[in-house]
Amino acid sequence: MILSLLGLALAADPAPSIPYEKYTLQNGLEVILSPDHRLPLVATDIWYHVGAGYELPGRSGFAHLFEHIMFQGSRNVPEDQFFPMLEGAGATFVNGTTDFDRTNYLETVPANQLELALWLESDRMGFLTDTLTQERLDNQREVVRKERQQSTENVPYGVAEEQFYKLLYPAPHPYNGVVIGSHEDLQAASLDDVKTFFKTWYLPNNATLVVCGDFDESTIKATVEKYFGNLPSGPEPVVTTQLAPPITAEKRASFTDDVELPKLYLGWVTAPVFQPGDADLQLAAQVLADGKSSRLYRELVEKKQIAQSVKAYQYPLTYGSVFAVEIIGKPDQSPARLEAEAWQVIEGLRTKPPSQDELDRAWRSTKARVLRGLEELGGFSGKADTLDYYNHHTGDPGYIAKDFARYEAATPDSVQKAFASAIRKDNRVVVDVMPQPKPAGGAK
């Protein structure tokens, strides 16, 4: 059924449309309601308009740390009961994530358990710090420090990837490094620091609630008002983050790691999300490395057989996106060889437009990925999250038609022009990783 719907949507010209109503409570909380009665489920999705990109120097990791703390209990929710209460009520999805530009919290529950999800979200939005103790902070700080070890320091290429972002976004820009922050900043955080962060950013007037699914359309506004209407607003948060400074000369770094294969990172700071050039670069990334028919795959993996895998992407961000190429080489290949061969492919796209067939494939792949997500009410890239995403970045939850129009307006010439302007040798970051030398005698 999903595949047939997907095929029909891909063949049709009109962009998908998600019905919704948007309004604002007196305390400033934005509410987006999207009825969908296909299944007796409801997804709630709250975006707080704060992420790692809003942190001040010396405060890295606060946004992600708070994502953890938000599940630890609030005035009326006992410690560590957030997940059990939802799972006991039949929730099929419960999660939270932090990125540079936002933090979100998502639940999908049976329709008759919507009020439970709204009550839990409202209690932690309004009353989290009532029960935030030094012990809870210390516990979650240690959890996050261990997570950093597992996700950055003790994983293949993790330290190099962190340095890759540090070179792309030099300090004091808050995109510098990784979302999870540094050990030093996390360890230095006091209970007052963390409470101040919450009271600054976790406000009704700095959040958007999406309710999507099989709710009673005649009572939903009263239900939302019941749980969120009495929460006090606060001063409008002051955002100090600026656009990332342009890179004016090539930057390089080399690392060794406990890995078996060499890896190469090439990166550029590019057009912010939804700004001119952003969509063209996303299509260019698809042309370069999406699937076995892509240019980098054909040339480096199949023809020359020097690479194990290739990857290219435009990571869209508010204060300067990242266009990146990542190549894992075969055991006997040097980063210099990988770089030279990859640049030859990149230069080909800089100097000559992609074919219309390449562009069409890139757009079909992008469109299919979006449409697959919209088959779900909740979860990552589901309908609720999509409404929140567009609202966060454009102020228009229904921006999907305009977003699709950006890609449909792209031409081979516009993609090549955007790519040649943004992707150059003199504004790139190059990071390579080589396996650590083996001990003498081949000892393990």
mmCIF file of all heavy atoms in Angstrom, residues 17-21 32-36 212 383 387:
data_model
loop_
_atom_site.group_PDB
_atom_site.id
_atom_site.type_symbol
_atom_site.label_atom_id
_atom_site.label_comp_id
_atom_site.label_asym_id
_atom_site.label_seq_id
_atom_site.Cartn_x
_atom_site.Cartn_y
_atom_site.Cartn_z
ATOM 1 N N SER A 17 0.397 17.974 0.320
ATOM 2 C CA SER A 17 -0.156 19.006 1.192
ATOM 3 C C SER A 17 -0.562 18.367 2.503
ATOM 4 O O SER A 17 -1.203 17.317 2.516
ATOM 5 C CB SER A 17 -1.359 19.677 0.521
ATOM 6 O OG SER A 17 -1.971 20.597 1.389
ATOM 7 N N ILE A 18 -0.169 18.973 3.620
ATOM 8 C CA ILE A 18 -0.543 18.481 4.944
ATOM 9 C C ILE A 18 -1.544 19.473 5.533
ATOM 10 O O ILE A 18 -1.200 20.635 5.775
ATOM 11 C CB ILE A 18 0.681 18.372 5.867
ATOM 12 C CG1 ILE A 18 1.791 17.542 5.217
ATOM 13 C CG2 ILE A 18 0.276 17.758 7.205
ATOM 14 C CD1 ILE A 18 3.088 17.523 6.010
ATOM 15 N N PRO A 19 -2.794 19.060 5.746
ATOM 16 C CA PRO A 19 -3.768 19.989 6.318
ATOM 17 C C PRO A 19 -3.363 20.376 7.745
ATOM 18 O O PRO A 19 -2.900 19.535 8.519
ATOM 19 C CB PRO A 19 -5.076 19.201 6.301
ATOM 20 C CG PRO A 19 -4.661 17.766 6.299
ATOM 21 C CD PRO A 19 -3.365 17.712 5.534
ATOM 22 N N TYR A 20 -3.536 21.630 8.078
ATOM 23 C CA TYR A 20 -3.178 22.058 9.430
ATOM 24 C C TYR A 20 -3.876 23.375 9.760
ATOM 25 O O TYR A 20 -4.344 24.103 8.879
ATOM 26 C CB TYR A 20 -1.663 22.254 9.557
ATOM 27 C CG TYR A 20 -1.154 23.497 8.860
ATOM 28 C CD1 TYR A 20 -1.058 24.718 9.537
ATOM 29 C CD2 TYR A 20 -0.794 23.462 7.511
ATOM 30 C CE1 TYR A 20 -0.618 25.856 8.882
ATOM 31 C CE2 TYR A 20 -0.356 24.594 6.855
ATOM 32 C CZ TYR A 20 -0.267 25.790 7.547
ATOM 33 O OH TYR A 20 0.153 26.918 6.909
ATOM 34 N N GLU A 21 -3.932 23.664 11.037
ATOM 35 C CA GLU A 21 -4.333 24.979 11.534
ATOM 36 C C GLU A 21 -3.289 25.425 12.544
ATOM 37 O O GLU A 21 -2.900 24.649 13.421
ATOM 38 C CB GLU A 21 -5.710 24.924 12.202
ATOM 39 C CG GLU A 21 -6.147 26.266 12.786
ATOM 40 C CD GLU A 21 -7.463 26.206 13.540
ATOM 41 O OE1 GLU A 21 -8.071 25.108 13.587
ATOM 42 O OE2 GLU A 21 -7.870 27.236 14.104
ATOM 43 N N ILE A 32 0.075 23.856 16.358
ATOM 44 C CA ILE A 32 -0.266 23.443 14.999
ATOM 45 C C ILE A 32 -1.059 22.148 15.108
ATOM 46 O O ILE A 32 -0.577 21.157 15.657
ATOM 47 C CB ILE A 32 1.002 23.226 14.149
ATOM 48 C CG1 ILE A 32 1.808 24.530 14.065
ATOM 49 C CG2 ILE A 32 0.629 22.742 12.751
ATOM 50 C CD1 ILE A 32 3.192 24.354 13.473
ATOM 51 N N LEU A 33 -2.285 22.164 14.595
ATOM 52 C CA LEU A 33 -3.163 21.003 14.645
ATOM 53 C C LEU A 33 -3.332 20.435 13.244
ATOM 54 O O LEU A 33 -3.615 21.176 12.297
ATOM 55 C CB LEU A 33 -4.540 21.403 15.199
ATOM 56 C CG LEU A 33 -4.554 22.096 16.562
ATOM 57 C CD1 LEU A 33 -5.961 22.527 16.920
ATOM 58 C CD2 LEU A 33 -3.977 21.183 17.642
ATOM 59 N N SER A 34 -3.145 19.124 13.117
ATOM 60 C CA SER A 34 -3.242 18.475 11.807
ATOM 61 C C SER A 34 -4.030 17.177 11.955
ATOM 62 O O SER A 34 -3.495 16.159 12.391
ATOM 63 C CB SER A 34 -1.858 18.186 11.239
ATOM 64 O OG SER A 34 -1.960 17.562 9.970
ATOM 65 N N PRO A 35 -5.329 17.190 11.611
ATOM 66 C CA PRO A 35 -6.138 15.970 11.756
ATOM 67 C C PRO A 35 -5.789 14.924 10.711
ATOM 68 O O PRO A 35 -5.521 15.236 9.552
ATOM 69 C CB PRO A 35 -7.566 16.485 11.567
ATOM 70 C CG PRO A 35 -7.432 17.732 10.746
ATOM 71 C CD PRO A 35 -6.114 18.337 11.114
ATOM 72 N N ASP A 36 -5.766 13.671 11.143
ATOM 73 C CA ASP A 36 -5.528 12.535 10.246
ATOM 74 C C ASP A 36 -6.188 11.326 10.900
ATOM 75 O O ASP A 36 -5.705 10.824 11.917
ATOM 76 C CB ASP A 36 -4.028 12.295 10.059
ATOM 77 C CG ASP A 36 -3.717 11.205 9.046
ATOM 78 O OD1 ASP A 36 -4.504 10.243 8.945
ATOM 79 O OD2 ASP A 36 -2.690 11.313 8.345
ATOM 80 N N CYS A 212 -0.886 15.849 15.753
ATOM 81 C CA CYS A 212 -1.231 15.319 14.431
ATOM 82 C C CYS A 212 -1.837 13.933 14.589
ATOM 83 O O CYS A 212 -1.234 13.057 15.216
ATOM 84 C CB CYS A 212 0.021 15.255 13.551
ATOM 85 S SG CYS A 212 -0.231 14.553 11.908
ATOM 86 N N LYS A 383 4.739 13.313 9.665
ATOM 87 C CA LYS A 383 3.949 14.504 9.355
ATOM 88 C C LYS A 383 4.104 15.577 10.428
ATOM 89 O O LYS A 383 4.275 16.764 10.118
ATOM 90 C CB LYS A 383 2.481 14.123 9.186
ATOM 91 C CG LYS A 383 2.194 13.315 7.938
ATOM 92 C CD LYS A 383 0.740 12.877 7.861
ATOM 93 C CE LYS A 383 -0.190 14.050 7.598
ATOM 94 N NZ LYS A 383 -1.589 13.578 7.390
ATOM 95 N N LEU A 387 5.849 19.335 9.818
ATOM 96 C CA LEU A 387 5.189 20.613 10.083
ATOM 97 C C LEU A 387 6.041 21.484 11.007
ATOM 98 O O LEU A 387 6.192 22.690 10.785
ATOM 99 C CB LEU A 387 3.813 20.369 10.708
ATOM 100 C CG LEU A 387 2.749 19.779 9.781
ATOM 101 C CD1 LEU A 387 1.564 19.262 10.594
ATOM 102 C CD2 LEU A 387 2.277 20.821 8.769
#
